[in-house]
Amino acid sequence: MKQTVQTLQAKKQQGEKIAMLTCYDYSTAKLMDAAGMDMLLVGDSLGNVILGYEDTISVTMEDMIHHTAAVARGTKNALVVADMPFLSYQTSVYDAVVNAGRLMKEGRAGAVKLEGGEVVCEQIRAIVNASIPVVAHLGMTPQSVNTLGGFKVQGKSLEAARKLLSDAKAVEEAGAFAVVLECVPAKLAELVSRKLSIPTIGIGAGAGCDGQVLVYQDMLGMFSDYCPKFVRKFADVGTVMRDAFALYQEEMQKGNFPAQEHTFSISDEVMAQLEQEAE
Ligand code: KIV
């Protein structure tokens, strides 16, 4: 079933959980879509897991459009959400609408995601008014790593928890149709989920959220630079891949690959003629 803003909001009303994973390419999108994922997030985490940066700051609009278009080509049913990269929306409301529009027109995203609460509500309102659905992102917002002082749990003090709840209400009021809560205490995320009518999608925010998202390389055990506490490894694909790469190398060295069935034939006459000419 094709997922839309409306079907996802209906899931919250019916108490049905929403499944989201990050995705950055066509073949993975096809697999995730076939597995029944509700939303595919072309996260700016592509800066970390695809491009090898230490944070998401350097990711560009061109990077995001390129990967979003690939994911969109591989997706039939899931809603494709594209992250707005650092400084593509913070600079002005105008920039926000133009760049969200590019992710939709050139990347074929079905929605965009941006980080921040009350401070980006004007942007959210303007993007939604341009008929582009918006997912907000609160808690640990990686584009603010330099002001947050590192990748840390957010909303632990009364003041910080109050601010997170009021930001969540503000983004809902501004028109966001869902909100990602990253690295937020589980009880606070559960309260936010109860107080909002839009779905909350948690990552490191406990089971009380209306849905969950993970970076797929983390949940498949493909990324070993670091592993956050909230990740569960659903498979050890990293080991499967490394073993297959090593086996390929070994089989080639031994002359076992390629075998006869992997080759194309040519007639003996043609070869005989060619051999003669090549002498
Ligand atoms: O970029 C990303 O992958 C994200 C998720 C961590 C929510 O924003």
Side-chain angles (χ1 to χ4, degrees):
M1 176 177 157
K2 183 107 189 109
Q3 297 301 331
T4 63
V5 168
Q6 289 73 21
T7 61
L8 295 167
Q9 289 189 326
K11 276 181 191 269
K12 169 153 182 152
Q13 280 149 21
Q14 288 150 14
E16 212 184 305
K17 296 283 184 185
I18 296 169
M20 186 187 212
L21 282 174
T22 64
C23 189
Y24 316 96
D25 70 274
Y26 172 79
S27 349
T28 312
K30 283 185 80 169
L31 291 169
M32 289 181 179
D33 199 54
M37 210 55 56
D38 297 310
M39 290 201 266
L40 302 189
L41 171 64
V42 190
D44 59 357
S45 52
L46 82 85
N48 307 97
V49 294
I50 302 290
L51 302 175
Y53 299 140
E54 67 184 43
D55 54 40
T56 59
I57 302 296
S58 308
V59 175
T60 65
M61 273 299 296
E62 270 55 45
D63 293 332
M64 291 309 304
I65 290 168
H66 183 72
H67 287 270
T68 303
V71 169
R73 285 192 288 272
T75 307
K76 281 201 185 96
N77 291 321
L79 182 72
V80 176
V81 180
D83 254 342
M84 299 198 66
F86 184 56
L87 292 192
S88 68
Y89 58 95
Q90 292 94 338
T91 43
S92 71
V93 170
Y94 176 83
D95 285 350
V97 176
V98 169
N99 287 320
R102 287 192 67 198
L103 288 166
M104 200 176 229
K105 279 181 88 160
E106 298 170 50
R108 304 299 301 178
V112 299
K113 175 167 84 59
L114 52 82
E115 297 181 6
E118 212 184 320
V119 287
V120 291
C121 278
E122 251 196 276
Q123 280 89 332
I124 294 176
R125 223 168 262 121
I127 296 170
V128 173
N129 282 340
S131 303
I132 301 167
V134 173
V135 178
H137 184 158
L138 298 172
M140 168 59 216
T141 44
Q143 292 175 17
S144 305
V145 62
N146 293 307
T147 46
L148 295 176
F151 297 96
K152 295 177 184 160
V153 179
Q154 301 295 310
K156 278 176 90 84
S157 69
L158 178 59
E159 195 190 344
R162 264 194 202 124
K163 172 74 176 133
L164 195 124
L165 180 58
S166 76
D167 274 340
K169 288 179 176 167
V171 296
E172 172 174 62
E173 196 274 323
F177 78 90
V179 56
V180 167
L181 300 177
E182 178 166 359
C183 288
V184 170
K187 285 184 179 164
L188 173 59
E190 197 265 330
L191 174 72
V192 172
S193 306
R194 267 192 289 117
K195 295 293 172 191
L196 296 190
S197 60
I198 58 172
T200 58
I201 312 292
I203 173 162
C209 295
D210 303 303
Q212 297 293 324
V213 59
L214 283 174
V215 171
Y216 91 81
Q217 283 86 349
D218 288 342
M219 56 85 77
L220 291 184
M222 291 169 63
F223 187 70
S224 55
D225 290 6
Y226 52 84
C227 184
K229 172 187 158 107
F230 54 77
V231 169
R232 171 169 156 195
K233 254 196 216 178
F234 286 80
D236 192 1
V237 175
T239 303
V240 172
M241 288 173 78
R242 205 184 45 230
D243 288 353
F245 298 147
L247 182 62
Y248 164 71
Q249 150 81 4
E250 192 185 311
E251 289 289 276
M252 245 177 46
Q253 297 298 342
K254 287 182 181 162
N256 294 338
F257 179 82
Q260 188 63 34
E261 68 265 29
H262 306 120
T263 58
F264 303 100
S265 61
I266 185 170
S267 79
D268 290 346
E269 289 76 27
V270 170
M271 279 314 291
Q273 178 68 34
L274 194 64
E275 295 269 9
Q276 202 179 13
E277 285 172 17
E279 266 174 22

